[in-house]
Amino acid sequence: MTIIQILFWLLSALVLLSAIMVVINRHPVYSVIWLIITFFGISGHYILLNAQFLAVVNIIVYAGAIMVLFLFVIMLMNLNKDMEPQKSKWLKLVGAIACGCLLLVLIAALKDIDINNQIAETNTGNIGLIENLGTVLFTKYVIPFEISSILFLSAMIGAVVIGKKD
Amino acid sequence: MPINYYIILSLTLFVIGIVGVLTRRNTIIVFMCIEIMLNAVNLLLVAFSKMHHINQVATNPTAGTEAQLFVFFIMVVAAAEVSVGLAIIVMLFRNTHSIDVNFLNRLKH
């Protein structure tokens, strides 16, 4: 077992366990903390796939900006533990069973596809480095990049208008 | 690593997100589960990009770049979506003093 395989299994276990903890935790603040751990695990996967730019952007945008936004909203609402009404036990069980069936069907459908023996290269290749991505982003994809800035502007105006007290 | 492992990992992560959306009633946690689903898709896109790269590197040394840029744009759109969505949740909480999704079904009537 090489070091890359060990890291893959460790990161996968970390990601899945913390994602499950996000779902089953009753307190929203703890869910946010577990979600941050999930994002760090996914960034570890990106580093393992040698996509360093995406790993850094994932940490900055998701773990840095979006999770702080979530924490601020939870703090503003002053949610405490007993406020959330729970669904009934049976409804939770039915949801879990239905999603387990969905997982089973998806895995069974994707078990025999013809890319089965392909390898996703780890730890080599330089397409994920910022040099290559920046060149392509600012030459071939410069128009979508600028359009996304307009999207951000409209999202900012929309958030201000919606959140304003009237 | 074989691509199957990444497919199964992403599928499991996606299904955990669906479980959260179906079984929780707190709007913020439902929103966080949507973020988990988005990240599962991003992880699978990056894994497929590296698979495409190792197959096509002889003819095109930058094969697979587009998928990683696609992930970058998904992150951009997700950030915009989260800001607007949280503003909507704050406004709903101010009007109804609740963030229970079963309570927020007034558009139905």
Side-chain angles (χ1 to χ4, degrees), chain A residues 75-126:
Chain A
M75 188 190 75
L76 276 177
M77 291 180 183
N78 198 14
L79 298 172
N80 39 18
K81 200 187 302 179
D82 304 327
M83 210 168 148
E84 183 191 357
Q86 297 290 313
K87 284 191 177 172
S88 71
K89 280 271 189 308
W90 290 108
L91 221 51
K92 283 182 182 174
L93 191 67
V94 166
I97 288 174
C99 293
C101 291
L102 175 66
L103 179 64
L104 216 62
V105 168
L106 285 173
I107 288 178
L110 292 173
K111 188 167 60 70
D112 294 329
I113 43 177
D114 57 350
I115 59 168
N116 239 344
N117 299 315
Q118 309 267 2
I119 299 292
E121 62 172 349
T122 45
N123 210 12
T124 51
N126 57 358

Side-chain angles (χ1 to χ4, degrees), chain A residues 23 25 39 87 116 121, chain B residues 4 22 24 35 39 50 53:
Chain A
V23 173
N25 224 315
F39 288 154
K87 284 191 177 172
N116 239 344
E121 62 172 349
Chain B
N4 308 31
L22 287 183
R24 295 302 298 260
E35 297 298 316
N39 269 280
K50 298 299 278 189
H53 178 67

Side-chain angles (χ1 to χ4, degrees), chain B residues 7 13-14 35 43 47 52 72 86 100 104:
Chain B
I7 293 176
L13 205 57
F14 192 82
E35 297 298 316
L43 180 61
H52 185 62
F72 176 68
L86 284 176
D100 185 359
L104 302 173

Side-chain angles (χ1 to χ4, degrees), chain B residues 51-64:
Chain B
M51 187 194 85
H52 185 62
H53 178 67
I54 202 169
N55 285 339
Q56 303 282 325
V57 70
T59 55
N60 181 9
T62 62

Side-chain angles (χ1 to χ4, degrees), chain A residues 15-127:
Chain A
V15 166
L16 292 180
L17 279 180
S18 49
I20 289 173
M21 288 305 286
V22 172
V23 173
I24 66 175
N25 224 315
R26 294 199 52 184
H27 202 293
V29 177
Y30 292 156
S31 284
V32 172
I33 305 293
W34 281 110
L35 194 55
I36 291 173
I37 296 173
T38 310
F39 288 154
F40 272 98
I42 289 174
S43 287
H45 270 297
Y46 289 162
I47 292 173
L48 208 60
L49 286 163
N50 218 17
Q52 273 111 357
F53 174 68
L54 286 177
V56 172
V57 168
N58 198 39
I59 287 179
I60 291 175
V61 172
Y62 272 107
I66 293 181
M67 287 303 112
V68 169
L69 212 59
F70 272 103
L71 277 178
F72 262 111
V73 169
I74 291 171
M75 188 190 75
L76 276 177
M77 291 180 183
N78 198 14
L79 298 172
N80 39 18
K81 200 187 302 179
D82 304 327
M83 210 168 148
E84 183 191 357
Q86 297 290 313
K87 284 191 177 172
S88 71
K89 280 271 189 308
W90 290 108
L91 221 51
K92 283 182 182 174
L93 191 67
V94 166
I97 288 174
C99 293
C101 291
L102 175 66
L103 179 64
L104 216 62
V105 168
L106 285 173
I107 288 178
L110 292 173
K111 188 167 60 70
D112 294 329
I113 43 177
D114 57 350
I115 59 168
N116 239 344
N117 299 315
Q118 309 267 2
I119 299 292
E121 62 172 349
T122 45
N123 210 12
T124 51
N126 57 358
I127 56 164

